Amino acid sequence: MIIASVRDLCLQLISSAFQRCHASEDLCRLSVILKRSPQSDPHSVLISVSDTGVGSCLEEFGGVKLHKEAFGAQIWDGLLFVTATSIADDEIYHYQFNLKENVSARRLTRLPSNPKNGLKFSGTEVCLSIIESIDVLVAEFSLFFQKILILKIPNVAIELVVEHGDDPGSRYVNVFLANEWNPLSIPASNLERLKSGLEDYVFKHGNTLSTKCELCFSSWEHLKVGSGVACCTESCKYSGSVMEAVIVISEISEVASTCPRTHGLKTEVLYFKDFSPCPIPQSSLKALTSIDWKSYGLSFGSVVVQGGFALVEWENLPTYVQIDIVLHHYHEQITIPSGRLRTRRDQNLIKKAIRLALDDLKDNYAGVLLSAQALKIRSYAPDLAKTISSLILSSNDSEFRKECFSFLGLPSQGVGGEVLDDCIKERLITVVEMNDRDPQRSKEIPTFLFEDDHMQDSGSQDEEFEVEDAFSSMDLC
């Protein structure tokens, strides 16, 4: 593992602590303490990352490597002090790692251990001292924790503590809890947590607020949520790889102009790997650019990487609409395929998961993400409805008119032209939207404007989905 900077190393240490907590079945605490002591260098900050998770192993720290540029600024001496114990250990072990040492065998120094006196507990603490602004570290660590909350892992409580000297009044504590505002039912799947977590993230403007912004979101109806899961089946050579995608489309209230948050034509794409925020990989960027967004009514502009996450710019998004995307890639059975196969497989998984999330939005919310062609055809619905309505009303064949009214679910007497127009228009729009959701199905099975709702064969649709899903699994692997 090669890390670019000391701050990135700190985030990696926090990420590892969070993963150890997630792996535990017990309630866990993750603490990050930043302390500046007046007796030491006034610019030096002691950083402590501790957790009560499952315990760490030496290989976790021995494999860490930093770019030479990370030591060039002389902001860190390269030393990590690690205290660790697992539930099965009888002692608390202490180590010192010198990451400036090029020879691996010389990196580790074992320090005297302490007995646990029969107590059963596990945990890890990693300490280092760097020269950095506390305000910069607090801002960066807080942003990291705000993203971690999207996962909504219920058994981890996170605290960020800042101490300026030994005065108790100078102590600042910020606590991050996953289910603090919008609790989930237990048990909940990883995808259910991810969906709820992204909803909270959007409602609370990146988890910077304690509750949802009432200026932007006066009700839950302002959010539309779609999700998709793609995975390699057990029959594939590399099994257990799962990609989850959640997409939230939010419509900002008109009174939100007074909200300090700015809304633009850009979508924030957050990426998680094995239950931890991480920089979005190149394979994900390629997948984002290769999706046929126009079939969902979106005109893709560009994508740039900023602060580890991607910003997608759209060319046709209304100013009152915001789109947020989160991707989570994890392994049910950890496998490490070759680099080329892994990149191709991950890219396919990402594309499929995002497409499934987009399709989920189209299925659950009428008129959402219609293709440009469907929008054009739908714009003709009012005029076409009037034409059909006038043909029905002007017919001298009373049986024909009665049959038309019956198929439309309207009484044969006392219905005006406006009511008939609206009914036909809604039928036309429904047909257009249904065919746009599944264009392949519309080619094979014609959709009739005048038909009984019970005439459609739902069994064939289920069968087609199963066949399509089977072929998709084969393609991915």
Side-chain angles (χ1 to χ4, degrees), residues 86-102:
S86 67
I87 197 71
D89 291 333
D90 296 323
E91 295 180 292
I92 302 172
Y93 301 100
H94 304 277
Y95 309 98
Q96 175 185 295
F97 287 90
N98 186 356
L99 298 189
K100 280 188 175 182
E101 177 59 63
N102 294 323

Side-chain angles (χ1 to χ4, degrees), residues 81-85 90-96 108-116:
F81 296 91
V82 179
T83 299
T85 187
D90 296 323
E91 295 180 292
I92 302 172
Y93 301 100
H94 304 277
Y95 309 98
Q96 175 185 295
L108 171 64
T109 301
R110 297 178 183 270
L111 304 175
S113 60
N114 302 112
K116 293 171 69 173

Side-chain angles (χ1 to χ4, degrees), residues 243 282-291 329 340-355 476:
M243 178 66 70
Q282 194 65 30
S283 59
S284 298
L285 295 177
K286 289 182 178 179
L288 288 170
T289 58
S290 61
I291 291 174
H329 187 196
R340 184 174 179 181
L341 284 174
R342 181 177 182 179
T343 299
R344 181 176 179 84
R345 177 174 62 94
D346 290 354
Q347 186 173 334
N348 289 339
L349 283 173
I350 293 166
K351 287 178 64 176
K352 181 171 176 61
I354 292 177
R355 286 202 304 265
L476 288 172

Side-chain angles (χ1 to χ4, degrees), residues 56-254:
S56 57
C57 58
L58 293 180
E59 291 78 5
E60 182 179 331
F61 305 99
V64 175
K65 294 182 180 180
L66 271 76
H67 284 294
K68 292 182 179 180
E69 291 78 5
F71 300 107
Q74 299 297 317
I75 65 171
W76 180 46
D77 57 10
L79 297 180
L80 286 180
F81 296 91
V82 179
T83 299
T85 187
S86 67
I87 197 71
D89 291 333
D90 296 323
E91 295 180 292
I92 302 172
Y93 301 100
H94 304 277
Y95 309 98
Q96 175 185 295
F97 287 90
N98 186 356
L99 298 189
K100 280 188 175 182
E101 177 59 63
N102 294 323
V103 180
S104 299
R106 299 177 182 172
R107 283 187 156 202
L108 171 64
T109 301
R110 297 178 183 270
L111 304 175
S113 60
N114 302 112
K116 293 171 69 173
N117 299 321
L119 298 176
K120 294 293 183 181
F121 60 89
S122 62
T124 304
E125 181 182 24
V126 184
C127 297
L128 68 159
S129 183
I130 68 173
I131 297 175
E132 184 58 273
S133 164
I134 280 188
D135 292 339
V136 170
L137 294 174
V138 168
E140 192 155 357
F141 294 170
S142 296
L143 184 63
F144 190 79
F145 290 142
Q146 288 158 5
K147 288 178 169 54
I148 276 183
L149 291 180
I150 295 176
L151 295 171
K152 273 205 164 178
I153 305 301
N155 68 315
V156 185
I158 302 171
E159 63 175 358
L160 176 60
V161 181
V162 179
E163 297 179 358
H164 294 278
D166 298 325
D167 182 9
S170 66
R171 183 181 175 92
Y172 158 84
V173 180
N174 192 8
V175 178
F176 301 83
L177 297 175
N179 292 336
E180 182 181 17
W181 172 67
N182 179 27
L184 269 171
S185 59
I186 298 178
S189 68
N190 291 330
L191 184 61
E192 289 171 333
R193 296 188 187 284
L194 195 65
K195 288 171 62 177
S196 180
L198 186 58
E199 288 178 359
D200 291 357
Y201 186 81
V202 173
F203 272 136
K204 298 192 291 182
H205 294 335
N207 284 330
T208 59
L209 305 177
S210 59
T211 186
K212 73 181 177 75
C213 177
E214 295 294 341
L215 289 175
C216 295
F217 309 105
S218 57
S219 74
W220 289 81
E221 302 300 323
H222 286 284
L223 252 62
K224 298 176 176 63
V225 185
S227 62
V229 180
C231 60
C232 281
T233 62
E234 294 180 358
S235 61
C236 300
K237 184 175 181 181
Y238 303 112
S239 60
S241 186
V242 179
M243 178 66 70
E244 296 175 342
V246 177
I247 301 175
V248 169
I249 300 177
S250 51
E251 297 180 0
I252 310 302
S253 172
E254 293 181 0

Side-chain angles (χ1 to χ4, degrees), residues 348-421:
N348 289 339
L349 283 173
I350 293 166
K351 287 178 64 176
K352 181 171 176 61
I354 292 177
R355 286 202 304 265
L356 289 173
L358 292 168
D359 291 339
D360 189 37
L361 279 163
K362 293 182 73 168
D363 289 341
N364 293 324
Y365 303 96
V368 172
L369 297 178
L370 292 179
S371 66
Q373 182 182 10
L375 289 172
K376 184 177 181 180
I377 296 173
R378 195 177 68 166
S379 67
Y380 300 141
D383 292 337
L384 183 56
K386 289 182 180 179
T387 301
I388 297 174
S389 174
S390 64
L391 289 174
I392 296 173
L393 294 175
S394 62
S395 174
N396 295 322
D397 188 339
S398 59
E399 288 300 318
F400 168 73
R401 292 198 306 271
K402 183 177 180 181
E403 188 173 356
C404 289
F405 279 108
S406 176
F407 273 123
L408 291 169
L410 297 172
S412 57
Q413 301 293 331
V415 176
E418 187 175 344
V419 174
L420 184 58
D421 288 352

